[in-house]
Amino acid sequence: MTEIPEADLLQRVAAARAAARAGDPFVNPVLAVALSLGRQLDEGALTLPEVVAALRGLGAAAFRRRAARLAAAVGGTDPASADSALAAVAAHVAAAAQAGAPSTSFDAFREACDRPRAAAVFTAHPTFSLSPEASATLASAACGGAIHATPSLRPVPPTLEDEFNRAVEAIIAGRDALDRLAAALLAEGRAAWPERWTTLDPRPVLLASWVGYDTDGRTDVGWQDTLRLRLRMKELQLSRVAAQLGALPGSCTWALRARVAEALGAVRAQVAACPGPGAVDPLAAQAFARALVGRRDVAMTDPEPLLEMFPDALAGAPDDQVRLALCAVRAGLVAHGLALAHTQVRLNATQLHNAARLRFASLDGSPPSAPARRRALFAAMDEALSRATAEPVDTGALLSEPSSAARLMMTCAQIVKHVDSSQPVRFLIAETESGFTLLAALLLAKLSGVEGHVEISPLFETAEALEQRGALVVEEALRSPHWRAYLRRVGRMALQFGYSDSGRYVGQVQASHLIERLKLRVAELLARYEMTGLEIVLFDTHGEGLGRGGHPDGLAARLAYLNPPAVRSAFAKRGIHVRRESAFQGGDGYLTFGTPALAHAAIARIAEDAFRDPNGGAASDPVYAEGGFASDLFAGARAAMNALVGDPGYAALLGAFGPALLDRTGSRPVVRQSDGSTGSTVRHPRDMRAIPNNAVLQQLGFLANVTHGLGAASSREPEVLAELMRGSPRFSNAMAFPRAALALSDPDVLRGYVMSLDPGTWLDIATRTHATGTTGPAAVARALEELGLGDPARAVFRRLLADDAALRDAWPDGAPEMPDHLFAAHALRLCLMHRVWLLAVAIPEFSPRHGVAREALVQRLLRLDIAPAADLLGEVFPAAAPAGADLDFGEPHAEHRATGYGREHAGIVAPLRLLANAIREASAVVSLECGAFG
């Protein structure tokens, strides 16, 4: 046997790529390597286990590289360096406060450090691309821990409980880091104002979570799940406070400890009484309601009873170190209330419209976007808001309410009444396309009696919302006196901006340009409607991957990308306070807070950005002074991306076998409106969810959602492109995305996948293997002809290739290329895919079983829907004889009784199962190299 260690495989890849560059342009290096491995398998010079071993070697190396990049992304993981950064932030804040009048310097310092300026929001969704063990090992390795053995890279689909527990681990590490930030600010305050510093509650950075509270596109989150997990966040906060107080002298903390212990006991009883997942038994709901109401006062619904005890504790503290620690505990309570992190619930706009119409018949009729009915609908909504009064909400209402939106608002009411009223609940609304949606949410809030306790926040993510409707949505709502009164009551307006759908439909960099423009328009609208006294929350739900806005150059670059200088300046010159929130999504995002050292460094980067000069950079950045080229570049790229999304060949390419390359990484199915089967047909990119859409492109080795369209526009003025990339921080920061995407993309890799779908490729292979008597390639060609994906895939490949070539030609100083180790992972997987197809056409004829004929099974295998097909084949061709076949039935029997289909099982079914696992393992390696799932 000829083993293929990683070094040998990389040498093969390098040689094949060099030969392709220097010689025949029709030779595809990734296909050449895949086919050469296939020939060795055919000849017995290699075995499948040896190929899998080579793949695991690539995975181990990718794992180490990913750990190094994670450490670099947060600016290093040395705790002393992070502490120095936090001390520098605190010193900067104190110096700025002392630069003013001495009589107001302390108040200036208090305002600077006690006002929340930033938040890290922990979100879930299908981005758990590594197992918990692999994630923990990776985070540890980023901090210098040894990797004794690379854990299994393939993810296990998380349950809601898994998502919650992994989010909690990250949040706890983040809270520990926030305590260090608070301590740095308190120490600076103590040095400058020794008589007053103990009145400070530093909280410039907050943490929030929607894990367990997000019902958009999910059916596994019931009202009882949200309440149970919110109560657990309360329990975790009280446990945290108890542990912090337990580390301090009992002489000054005994009263606080006793009250916290009493509250903890009550909350734990409430958690225990809460019904479990699934259908809720009315008697269980009744028992829970009694625990919720009956233990409410002991459990507290506000941290005020605890906060009132801190002055006595501080007075009894033996020294300043204990006083500082007490102040840090109090700051955490003031910042987050009775929860480990702030609460954000989420649902879809359509759910709100339906709920509002159930309540008020006058709101029934056309959708709010219909021009003919828009004025009448808004007038009817204003009338409904005028007449709406709060209605009682109890647990029984949650049981009986048919509308998911009304039920979610009622859940918020129960949180406010029985869990914690000290902090508002963010009410996020996906796919907001009209101001009517915001007013509908306000109506439900009024009916539930919580309009002063929820922050209604639209999500702008679709191409239409960013290009046309986003500003109109805000303006339509601001026209309503009810909405303006509501905003003044809560004191802030919260807006959410998404990069997933926008990135895949208009392109990632183009989406950033549109989002920046929309934020500037919002600043103008607030000034026009005289609402500049509000705080504005700008929440960017961008996740971690290239296709979702997680920056390839690390956390500091990401924060600068999300908050460009023009936006900072626009709000600052109008005197509008801004809180910037940033999503850390799923397993990939939680890695940023995966250890205390990582979280410490991450909070340092966030704090540095939070106190950055809001007026710096906008005036001097040439992209704003000479904005014509950038605007034309992004407009041209948007048009090209729109055309690509509408190309039927693009959907064919995405859906050919791409979804089957992905392990289930979360609660949502890959394909919309399906049962989650990878065999579901993708007729348009909208049929897939955004994150799997992006992940498929990563797996195909061509990140079109980041780069496509930029080539044609850049090639018109490449010298201007180079000038802006050198001289404009904003432009170069944005163009880091296509730079990184080019390094993860290779037209030869995509060509290899496209050529594999082409029957002509397999006919060529057949002519070269005819002498060996192999009929498999010709049979694969016939099966692919029936599948019919070759022609559309080739057509869209030409479109993609033309723009990619133009972008690489225009790229200053040469475009980056895919590294050999990632190229090798694709080549190995292509080889494995080819083995699946050859096995598929080798399946013997059989009569239809379970409603599936042989031809349909072959088609499923061509789409790499392997595991279910292998299971079905195992039933069609059982390995062993039926039970009882060896019994004595009282008369002579044939010498050769049925003994099962051992040969078919060993030759087809077992290899298919091995290949299914190996192909998905290759996908995990590609995800590691890309840095995130999707």
Side-chain angles (χ1 to χ4, degrees), residues 587-908:
D588 297 325
Y590 300 171
L591 278 172
T592 308
F593 293 80
T595 66
L598 283 165
H600 192 182
I603 291 299
R605 303 292 82 78
I606 294 171
E608 288 167 344
D609 184 79
F611 286 103
R612 197 159 36 136
D613 180 6
N615 295 304
S620 59
D621 195 312
V623 78
Y624 298 114
E626 300 290 341
F629 170 80
S631 295
D632 291 347
L633 174 73
F634 298 141
R638 285 200 307 275
M641 194 68 198
N642 287 339
L644 176 66
V645 168
D647 187 331
Y650 188 53
L653 185 63
L654 288 171
F657 47 72
L661 297 175
L662 309 176
D663 271 310
R664 187 79 177 266
T665 57
S667 57
R668 289 171 156 186
V670 169
V671 181
R672 294 180 185 271
Q673 305 300 323
S674 79
D675 62 358
S677 166
T678 54
S680 300
T681 301
V682 177
R683 296 182 177 85
H684 188 278
R686 74 171 69 92
D687 293 339
M688 294 179 67
R689 296 192 180 277
I691 294 170
N693 176 101
N694 299 341
V696 167
L697 291 169
Q698 291 178 352
Q699 297 300 328
L700 295 178
F702 204 88
L703 278 65
N705 59 319
V706 183
T707 61
H708 188 71
L710 293 170
S714 298
S715 62
R716 297 187 191 104
E717 297 181 79
E719 68 285 349
V720 180
L721 176 74
E723 183 181 335
L724 283 176
M725 287 181 66
R726 284 192 299 267
S728 166
R730 166 59 176 153
F731 188 77
S732 62
N733 182 274
M735 294 301 286
F737 283 86
R739 183 202 71 217
L742 287 171
L744 298 171
S745 304
D746 192 299
D748 280 333
V749 169
L750 182 59
R751 193 198 307 268
Y753 290 114
V754 170
M755 289 178 68
S756 295
L757 285 168
D758 186 348
T761 301
W762 289 90
L763 289 174
D764 286 339
I765 296 172
T767 62
R768 288 160 175 75
T769 57
H770 182 70
T772 67
T774 302
T775 60
V780 171
R782 288 192 296 272
L784 286 171
E785 201 75 65
E786 293 175 10
L787 191 63
L789 293 175
D791 290 342
R794 283 198 310 274
V796 80
F797 173 72
R798 291 192 295 271
R799 179 194 286 265
L800 293 167
L801 179 61
D803 193 78
D804 179 79
L807 181 59
R808 290 179 185 276
D809 285 344
W811 198 266
D813 304 318
E817 294 186 343
M818 179 182 285
D820 284 346
H821 44 79
L822 179 53
F823 199 94
H826 286 290
L828 272 178
R829 186 170 57 193
L830 262 176
C831 171
L832 297 172
M833 288 167 51
H834 293 170
R835 308 317 292 177
V836 170
W837 293 356
L838 289 167
L839 286 171
V841 297
I843 296 171
E845 292 290 343
F846 61 87
S847 59
R849 302 285 184 91
H850 305 285
V852 177
R854 178 187 180 278
E855 292 73 19
L857 204 58
V858 171
Q859 294 290 302
R860 290 181 71 173
L861 288 169
L862 290 180
R863 289 183 177 273
L864 300 182
D865 194 16
I866 307 170
D871 290 341
L872 185 56
L873 277 171
E875 295 178 20
V876 173
F877 300 108
D886 57 345
L887 295 177
D888 183 354
F889 290 92
E891 56 184 319
H893 59 79
E895 182 177 350
H896 299 288
R897 271 188 181 172
T899 57
Y901 293 92
R903 185 173 59 184
E904 286 80 2
H905 202 84
I908 297 177

Side-chain angles (χ1 to χ4, degrees), residues 17-268:
R17 298 179 82 182
R21 292 188 194 101
D24 189 346
F26 297 102
V27 172
N28 182 271
V30 74
L31 201 55
V33 173
L35 293 175
S36 71
L37 293 171
R39 282 193 296 273
Q40 288 185 274
L41 286 168
D42 289 335
E43 295 162 0
L46 270 180
T47 65
L48 276 179
E50 288 170 336
V51 175
V52 172
L55 179 62
R56 287 180 179 153
L58 290 176
F63 196 83
R64 292 191 295 271
R65 284 189 291 271
R66 178 75 177 92
R69 293 198 305 274
L70 176 60
V74 296
T77 57
D78 175 31
S81 176
D83 274 332
S84 295
L86 294 177
V89 167
H92 166 74
V93 174
Q98 291 170 313
S103 60
T104 61
S105 61
F106 179 76
D107 291 334
F109 184 73
R110 181 199 297 281
E111 194 282 332
C113 63
D114 285 13
R115 175 170 66 83
R117 298 163 174 267
V121 185
F122 294 87
T123 67
H125 289 337
T127 57
F128 292 87
S129 60
L130 291 170
S131 66
E133 298 75 19
S135 292
T137 303
L138 187 62
S140 172
C143 301
I147 305 175
H148 299 294
T150 305
S152 173
L153 300 181
R154 290 185 59 189
V156 177
T159 64
L160 178 62
E161 192 73 14
D162 295 333
E163 291 179 352
F164 178 81
N165 290 335
R166 291 177 71 174
V168 162
E169 291 174 1
I171 292 168
I172 288 172
R175 286 292 303 274
D176 290 344
L178 287 183
D179 285 348
R180 298 176 83 102
L181 172 59
L185 290 163
L186 287 164
E188 200 66 38
R190 180 180 60 187
W193 300 278
E195 304 301 321
R196 305 177 66 184
W197 68 276
T198 57
T199 64
L200 295 168
D201 291 312
R203 52 191 186 279
V205 181
L206 306 175
L207 303 183
S209 174
W210 76 34
V211 181
Y213 320 136
D214 174 18
T215 60
D216 177 32
R218 297 187 68 152
T219 58
D220 61 332
V221 182
W223 61 265
Q224 78 279 16
D225 298 309
T226 295
L227 286 174
R228 183 181 64 256
L229 296 180
R230 179 59 184 84
L231 283 167
R232 284 181 61 189
M233 291 295 272
K234 182 176 182 177
E235 179 188 357
L236 289 162
Q237 171 76 319
L238 291 172
S239 297
R240 179 181 182 80
V241 171
Q244 291 172 314
L245 294 173
L248 299 176
S251 58
C252 63
T253 60
W254 68 268
L256 270 167
R257 292 190 200 186
R259 184 65 184 93
V260 170
E262 184 183 37
L264 254 177
V267 173
R268 284 170 177 158

Side-chain angles (χ1 to χ4, degrees), residues 183 222 246 369 418 584 763 792:
S369 58
H418 305 303
F584 292 85
L763 289 174

Side-chain angles (χ1 to χ4, degrees), residues 433 460 462-473 514 517-518 521 642:
E433 302 286 349
F460 301 125
T462 65
E464 184 179 3
L466 295 181
E467 291 189 80
Q468 303 170 26
R469 298 205 55 81
L472 181 60
V473 168
L514 291 174
R517 197 170 66 182
L518 177 53
R521 182 78 176 112
N642 287 339

